[in-house]
Amino acid sequence: MPSRRAHRRVAADAGLLVVAAAFVLPLAWVLLSAVDPHADLRVRVPDGLTLGNFDAVLTPDVTFTPLLNSLVLCGSGTLLTVACAALAAYPLSRFRSRFNRPFLLTILFATCLPITAIMVPVYALFVRVNLIDTMQGTILFFAASQLPFAVWLMKNFMDGVPRELEEAAWTDGASAFQSLTRIVLPLMGPGVAVVTVFSFVMMWGNFFVPFMLLLSPDQMPASVSINDFFGNRGTVVYGQLAAFSVVYSTPVILLYVVVAGRVGSGFALGGAVKG
Amino acid sequence: MRAAGRPLSRTLTRALPVTPAVVLLVLFLAGPIAYCAYIAFTDLQLTGQAESSFIGFENFRTAFKDKAFLNAVWLTLVFTVLSSLLGQNTLGLALAALMQRASKPVRTLVGGIVITAWVLPEVVAGFLLYAFFRREGTLNAILAWLHLPSQNWLFTLPILAVSFANVWRGTAFSMLVYSAALNEIPKEITEAAEMDGAGGWRRMWHITLPMIRRSIGTNLMLNTLQTLSVFGLIWVMTRGGPGNRSQTLPLFMYEQAFQKSMIGYGTAVALLLLVVGSLFSVVYMRLLRTEV
């Protein structure tokens, strides 16, 4: 038996490596092109190493302003989502009420709605109420669009914190808000981290929402401004596009690695969506 | 259930923390959906906001006679079946199953690569696969190296190229869901089947798949919903073209609303998409029913 098992492991390894080779090619292109002085569209070993592409894109106009815009949009949106989700999850997790079930079902339903489909009416609505092309409007919409999933995740994580720990605090006269912020949230640190990182990563990569709701170029986040490499500047400098892609993608990859390392690479997805 | 005699004020106090979330959801999610359902029945245009009038089902009648709309429905179907059903779902399951048997370093490496593709921002993923499929891109370079005929993929088979792009980007999700599901199957069961002499494929078909069928349902639902609303990936790679040969419903909706200024018509298409999405949501909720 052992030899057969070893044989099977080699076969599985080989199969996985073949698939991985196909997956790695586009990633290799962006990494190699970013340091290639003469990058084009195919994967190849650079004929010389350069940081010139990074030098060229790391300017306020091309990189810093869009990244700062992304940070303001996604940071504020995430804070708002996580705060609202934590508050909403508390009574849902701790108190029994006949409203809990319908509320959670509505939340779950909203989690699944294709947000893309409502962007045209959101645009029309934002024009009417003067929220179009404003950071605060976009932040509020971002927060609302991530909120259903955030509430759902947060409630599931909160259910995992035993009630007994709070009951002691209640007898000492702590309010519900105090026991939420001082006892429950610290105890579900990894859960809060997952909700925060997940919301942030989703917003950071989102293209359609800012593309629709923001108009002036100086407010655009990186997800939209990256298209300028194609449009207005004549021929595309692929090395610079690659360098910008690396700079723009690095934060979310790092965040993922940090959270996955601490919570387990299932990213709590298993717990959130398992059926 | 509110116990008899429990004061109403207490229920209200307890519900207070939910208020910010409810306000946000009502204003920015329920509001637009209601507005969507309203303007889908008007002839609202991008210019001249003042006079839009109620035109009943006219937009929907137009849509079902519109060749471009029917083309978009067909392409959305092709895109969803190819990339979600056949692509992400099957490949994700295959990867998860292989990972159960693979050695740890290979598992970590492959998982890392596949997940990186998933975590990358949508637009970046679009550019990477644009470069991959272009005439001068990596795919043709490999084909030439193998002495196979190359072609301009984004021109000849745009819907296939964007479907592959979506598989590249989305497979990690299925892989994670199935890995979690497979880990929960007790070892004794598979080992017993092995002792009885059941081969790999038969074990997969008769034992593994039935045991993870709920995960399969959940995963298919979520994949399909996600795929239905893909916009940025296709926009970056092809803009829906050439012509409208990769124009799925979200791109069609966008074109009608903004490039042709027909907000009312674009919204009617959006409403159809929303209804299809809602149907999938309801099925998904039934699958999860026991857990709420």
Side-chain angles (χ1 to χ4, degrees):
Chain A
M1 285 308 260
S3 77
R4 204 176 133 200
R5 186 158 291 172
H7 184 77
R8 206 192 283 156
R9 179 187 297 160
V10 172
D13 282 358
L16 281 178
L17 287 173
V18 168
V19 178
F23 268 81
V24 89
L25 283 172
L27 295 171
W29 175 78
V30 76
L31 289 176
L32 293 173
S33 300
V35 294
D36 186 339
H38 310 290
D40 58 16
L41 282 167
R42 59 183 56 174
V43 177
R44 58 187 185 129
V45 181
D47 46 2
L49 281 181
T50 178
L51 290 177
N53 293 321
F54 286 97
D55 262 348
V57 298
L58 288 177
T59 64
D61 268 0
V62 180
T63 302
F64 299 130
T65 310
L67 282 187
L68 188 67
N69 290 337
S70 286
L71 189 66
V72 171
L73 279 177
C74 310
S76 320
T78 303
L79 279 181
L80 200 55
T81 302
V82 172
C84 289
L87 286 173
Y90 188 74
L92 290 171
S93 169
R94 287 304 187 250
F95 306 129
R96 283 157 56 98
S97 155
R98 66 191 139 145
F99 299 114
N100 281 3
R101 197 180 141 77
F103 187 80
L104 278 171
L105 285 175
T106 314
I107 286 286
L108 193 57
F109 178 72
T111 303
C112 298
L113 287 179
I115 295 295
T116 308
I118 62 168
M119 287 319 292
V120 174
V122 168
Y123 172 88
L125 202 61
F126 269 34
V127 168
R128 190 155 281 194
V129 298
N130 277 328
L131 276 175
I132 201 74
D133 199 24
T134 62
M135 290 297 248
Q136 66 271 28
T138 313
I139 288 167
L140 287 168
F141 183 74
F142 255 150
S145 67
Q146 283 303 318
L147 195 52
F149 192 57
V151 171
W152 177 251
L153 271 184
M154 198 73 99
K155 192 249 170 203
N156 282 351
F157 283 123
M158 214 174 267
D159 286 345
V161 178
R163 287 178 65 112
E164 293 76 44
L165 295 165
E166 270 173 276
E167 277 160 7
W170 285 340
T171 43
D172 289 346
S175 69
F177 185 73
Q178 281 168 331
S179 83
L180 171 67
T181 53
R182 303 239 177 98
I183 297 170
V184 181
L185 288 180
L187 280 173
M188 49 180 280
V192 177
V194 167
V195 179
T196 309
V197 168
F198 189 86
S199 307
F200 189 83
V201 170
M202 293 308 280
M203 293 180 198
W204 188 265
N206 193 306
F207 162 74
F208 203 36
V209 171
F211 178 67
M212 296 283 277
L213 301 183
L214 294 174
L215 308 170
S216 28
D218 59 317
Q219 299 203 76
M220 285 303 178
S223 58
V224 183
S225 79
I226 191 173
N227 287 287
D228 294 347
F229 282 97
F230 272 78
N232 322 325
R233 295 176 198 182
T235 47
V236 187
V237 186
Y238 288 106
Q240 294 184 14
L241 173 62
F244 183 83
S245 301
V246 170
V247 173
Y248 165 44
S249 308
T250 305
V252 284
I253 293 184
L254 287 182
L255 276 177
Y256 181 85
V257 169
V258 169
V259 164
R262 295 190 60 191
V263 189
S265 72
F267 205 17
L269 261 178
V273 300
K274 77 163 181 241
Chain B
M1 284 296 149
R2 192 155 60 91
R6 184 186 291 172
L8 182 67
S9 65
R10 186 163 142 201
T11 312
L12 285 179
T13 318
R14 285 180 162 186
L16 199 62
V18 188
T19 330
V22 170
V23 170
L24 209 54
L25 288 175
V26 166
L27 286 182
F28 290 92
L29 224 48
I33 291 171
Y35 195 55
C36 179
Y38 164 67
I39 52 180
F41 296 92
T42 69
D43 58 358
L44 185 66
Q45 303 214 344
L46 204 54
T47 47
Q49 296 280 358
E51 67 266 16
S52 69
S53 48
F54 189 78
I55 54 167
F57 284 92
E58 197 52 42
N59 284 328
F60 297 95
R61 265 191 293 257
T62 313
F64 286 104
K65 278 185 284 182
D66 186 349
K67 281 217 173 64
F69 171 76
L70 297 174
N71 171 64
V73 171
W74 167 244
L75 287 177
T76 308
L77 210 64
V78 172
F79 181 64
T80 309
V81 170
L82 278 182
S83 67
S84 163
L85 221 65
L86 296 177
Q88 295 177 4
N89 185 57
T90 316
L91 187 59
L93 180 58
L95 285 173
L98 285 174
M99 280 183 163
Q100 298 281 309
R101 302 169 172 181
S103 58
K104 188 151 192 286
V106 173
R107 198 164 53 205
T108 314
L109 176 74
V110 176
I113 291 171
V114 175
I115 290 175
T116 305
W118 179 54
V119 181
L120 277 188
E122 186 178 18
V123 183
V124 172
F127 281 128
L128 298 196
L129 288 139
Y130 167 83
F132 185 75
F133 282 111
R134 277 283 297 207
R135 187 195 287 281
E136 315 82 14
T138 306
L139 179 58
N140 279 341
I142 294 172
L143 290 175
W145 185 64
L146 294 171
H147 300 291
L148 290 169
S150 66
Q151 53 180 311
N152 189 354
W153 298 98
L154 292 174
F155 185 80
T156 48
L157 289 165
I159 193 68
L160 196 66
V162 295
S163 299
F164 269 106
N166 196 39
V167 172
W168 185 81
R169 183 171 139 73
T171 297
F173 182 81
S174 306
M175 183 184 83
L176 290 172
V177 170
Y178 287 134
S179 287
L182 291 179
N183 279 334
E184 280 177 19
I185 297 182
K187 275 232 154 32
E188 301 80 54
I189 295 184
T190 40
E191 271 164 14
E194 206 171 323
M195 290 300 169
D196 292 344
W201 289 111
R202 287 184 56 195
R203 277 208 308 281
M204 189 74 181
W205 186 253
H206 290 291
I207 298 167
T208 312
L209 289 184
M211 289 196 74
I212 61 168
R213 63 178 188 281
R214 271 160 63 83
S215 294
I216 296 176
T218 311
N219 184 54
L220 277 178
M221 247 355 98
L222 292 176
N223 270 345
T224 306
L225 281 163
Q226 198 273 330
T227 301
L228 273 181
S229 57
V230 168
F231 180 89
L233 194 70
I234 302 180
W235 173 259
V236 166
M237 287 179 72
T238 66
R239 295 282 195 274
N244 54 11
R245 289 195 289 130
S246 59
Q247 192 179 51
T248 56
L249 278 171
L251 283 107
F252 176 77
M253 166 197 94
Y254 175 79
E255 188 193 59
Q256 295 302 321
F258 292 100
Q259 273 143 19
K260 303 203 168 149
S261 306
M262 315 265 277
I263 297 258
Y265 185 46
T267 308
V269 175
L271 189 62
L272 290 174
L273 206 57
L274 211 53
V275 170
V276 174
S278 311
L279 292 178
F280 275 101
S281 296
V282 171
V283 175
Y284 172 56
M285 282 161 61
R286 297 207 72 99
L287 286 171
L288 275 183
R289 186 175 34 189
T290 50
E291 295 188 14
V292 180

